[in-house]
Amino acid sequence: MEQTKRGFGAWGWFLLLFGLLIFFSNGGFFSDGTNIISPAVAERLQVEQGLILTMNSIAGVVGVLVAVAAGQLNQRIGPSKVTAGCLILAGLGHIAACNAVNVPMYLIAMCFVGGGLSAGSFVGIGTLVAMWFPKKQGQAMSVVAMGSNFGTMLFVPLLNIFAGTIGIPMGAVLCGGIAAAVGVLGMVLLRDTPIQRGLYPDNVTEAEYKANYSTKPPEISEGCWTTGQLLRTKVVWLCVFATGFLMLAQMGIMTQLVDRNIEVGIDPTLAVNVMTPIAVIGIVGSVIFGRIVFRLGIKKAGTLTGALYIIAMLLNVSGALPLVWISLVIIGFLGAAAPNLMNSIPGSVFGRVGYAKVNSVVFPLTSIIYMLNFAVNGLIKTLFHSLSVAYIVFAVLALVSILLILALEDHKYDQDYMAAHRR
């Protein structure tokens, strides 16, 4: 295919690298970083770590309101401004959370961190990727989702160093300040569509664009989707629960992976250090998974992801260290799979045209589901004093996700796909 050989282009790469930085921040500020931040904050505020994890879950759900607002702004001021603004908001929120003087302040700050990064990652970047690379979303998102793996590889050890040297509060000032500065840069340089840069979707030529793509403006969709119509559309709910359950499992695993490693008998220092090789495996896995989505399509890629999660959970729950290590390799490989599918599945079903409106409904509903991961882990740790039960829950959710993905009708509303197959 000509469009594949042409690559992403310079401005396309800028967009993808900016998205990578947002996913990197998400891993450091809200997901994997929780392994280091939550015990440090709990100790400083002299409260149970379970309470901080519960606050994170509440913040995640409340942060959905930020995502809802971002979805509306997406259609008014454009996803580029939303994406950059969300990164600025998250950076400042991270500073406030790690310097919180009490639990309510921590909760409020984490609402902005969780909401800002989720909205920036999936409402903002998700829409931009759909606008710029409608037929190469799987490959494009594999680059963006690498940020999560880099966050695991670099941010967790960095936070661990901060905890022992300058302290988490001062480290947050440094990291949050950099994130906010990058957000300002994005505010200036990002664009909503490739047309605004004199380019075409997927970096194709003008001739290929006219032959194989819908020429409708991306903000217009056939049937003019309304919120009510989307909520009454079966495939919307299939997308929401299929990706939401996979993301809940993925975040539930990663936010407490250090604790789980210690729980199964891995030395505490090694439990932290092993996050780096897991992330390296994830970077390789992200590239491979992008090709899988592109070659096999979202249904086969999603089914494979769910099956591998089930295998990994069962191996881990066995408690046998050799099997636990195999499970960690699989977990590392899948590090970017669920975030990729969270954008790629609705993007592939609905396509580029009208995607901003679709995402403004699909993402908030999905995020409500996956933000419950903190509550699931916190409740299970309180009741059973072990994360084994959580891993069984994650395996069941992965199985349900497989069944939902198999029920999807891919490209059902994708007008670019219809245009390419109209003859």
Side-chain angles (χ1 to χ4, degrees):
M1 290 185 184
E2 182 183 357
Q3 64 192 53
T4 303
K5 295 177 182 178
R6 290 176 61 82
F8 296 124
W11 285 111
W13 272 109
F14 175 77
L15 163 63
L16 298 183
L17 291 177
F18 190 90
L20 184 149
L21 289 174
I22 290 184
F23 273 70
F24 176 83
S25 299
N26 195 20
F29 295 170
F30 199 71
S31 180
D32 301 338
T34 299
N35 287 283
I36 308 298
I37 294 172
S38 63
V41 171
E43 181 180 359
R44 189 163 55 83
L45 298 182
Q46 296 184 330
V47 298
E48 292 290 333
Q49 185 182 351
L51 176 61
I52 297 300
L53 289 176
T54 301
M55 292 303 103
N56 280 10
S57 196
I58 294 172
V61 175
V62 173
V64 172
L65 298 176
V66 177
V68 171
Q72 297 304 311
L73 286 173
N74 235 18
Q75 301 169 68
R76 289 180 169 84
I77 65 174
S80 60
K81 296 295 188 293
V82 168
T83 301
C86 283
L87 184 57
I88 295 171
L89 184 68
L92 298 178
H94 178 64
I95 295 173
C98 292
N99 288 274
V101 296
N102 51 47
V103 173
M105 178 179 173
Y106 175 83
L107 172 61
I108 294 170
M110 287 304 292
C111 286
F112 290 108
V113 174
L117 289 173
S118 293
S121 298
F122 299 107
V123 174
I125 286 297
T127 303
L128 287 173
V129 169
M131 296 297 101
W132 281 69
F133 306 110
K135 296 185 180 181
K136 295 195 289 187
Q137 283 189 70
Q139 291 173 294
M141 283 305 302
S142 71
V143 175
V144 171
M146 281 184 195
S148 297
N149 302 114
F150 281 116
T152 303
M153 181 173 67
L154 301 175
F155 223 124
V156 174
L158 180 63
L159 288 173
N160 207 33
I161 292 172
F162 285 160
T165 53
I166 63 176
I168 292 296
M170 186 57 64
V173 172
L174 177 62
C175 296
I178 292 174
V182 172
V184 172
L185 179 66
M187 192 74 71
V188 175
L189 296 179
L190 286 174
R191 294 294 184 272
D192 295 332
T193 66
I195 299 295
Q196 294 172 350
R197 285 291 185 191
L199 303 169
Y200 294 98
D202 293 315
N203 199 34
V204 299
T205 62
E206 181 179 8
E208 186 174 356
Y209 173 69
K210 290 181 177 179
N212 296 317
Y213 290 75
S214 169
T215 55
K216 292 182 180 180
E219 67 272 14
I220 299 174
S221 66
E222 186 176 298
C224 298
W225 286 115
T226 65
T227 299
Q229 287 174 330
L230 288 167
L231 291 175
R232 292 190 298 271
T233 301
K234 176 183 175 181
V235 73
V236 166
W237 294 101
L238 290 175
C239 290
V240 166
F241 284 104
T243 59
F245 288 158
L246 281 179
M247 279 294 295
L248 191 157
Q250 194 266 348
M251 287 193 68
I253 293 165
M254 296 308 299
T255 57
Q256 291 296 291
L257 189 55
V258 172
D259 276 0
R260 177 58 183 171
N261 288 342
I262 295 173
E263 189 176 278
V264 296
I266 298 175
D267 178 78
T269 301
L270 180 59
V272 174
N273 292 336
V274 78
M275 298 292 280
T276 297
I278 285 175
V280 173
I281 294 170
I283 292 169
V284 176
S286 184
V287 175
I288 295 173
F289 190 76
R291 298 299 300 176
I292 290 173
V293 174
F294 183 70
R295 296 294 184 188
L296 301 182
I298 58 163
K299 294 186 71 168
K300 291 181 180 178
T303 300
L304 175 62
T305 299
L308 288 175
Y309 267 126
I310 293 171
I311 293 170
M313 296 304 94
L314 295 179
L315 291 174
N316 199 285
V317 169
S318 73
L321 275 179
L323 299 182
V324 169
W325 284 111
I326 295 173
S327 77
L328 292 177
V329 172
I330 299 174
I331 288 169
F333 178 81
L334 296 174
N340 188 321
L341 290 171
M342 189 170 170
N343 277 331
S344 297
I345 285 180
S348 186
V349 171
F350 288 93
R352 170 180 60 99
V353 180
Y355 186 76
K357 178 62 180 179
V358 171
N359 202 31
S360 72
V361 173
V362 171
F363 172 73
L365 295 172
T366 306
S367 61
I368 289 174
I369 296 172
Y370 77 72
M371 285 299 182
L372 293 175
N373 77 89
F374 296 105
V376 171
N377 279 332
L379 179 62
I380 288 174
K381 286 185 71 173
T382 300
L383 294 177
F384 300 97
H385 306 290
S386 170
L387 289 168
S388 292
V389 176
Y391 277 47
I392 294 173
V393 171
F394 298 150
V396 172
L397 291 177
L399 175 60
V400 174
S401 180
I402 290 174
L403 298 177
L404 295 174
I405 289 170
L406 291 174
L408 282 170
E409 185 177 344
D410 197 14
H411 303 301
K412 184 176 179 64
Y413 301 105
D414 185 350
Q415 293 186 50
D416 289 326
Y417 181 87
M418 295 175 191
H421 294 78
R422 62 192 169 200
R423 290 182 295 274

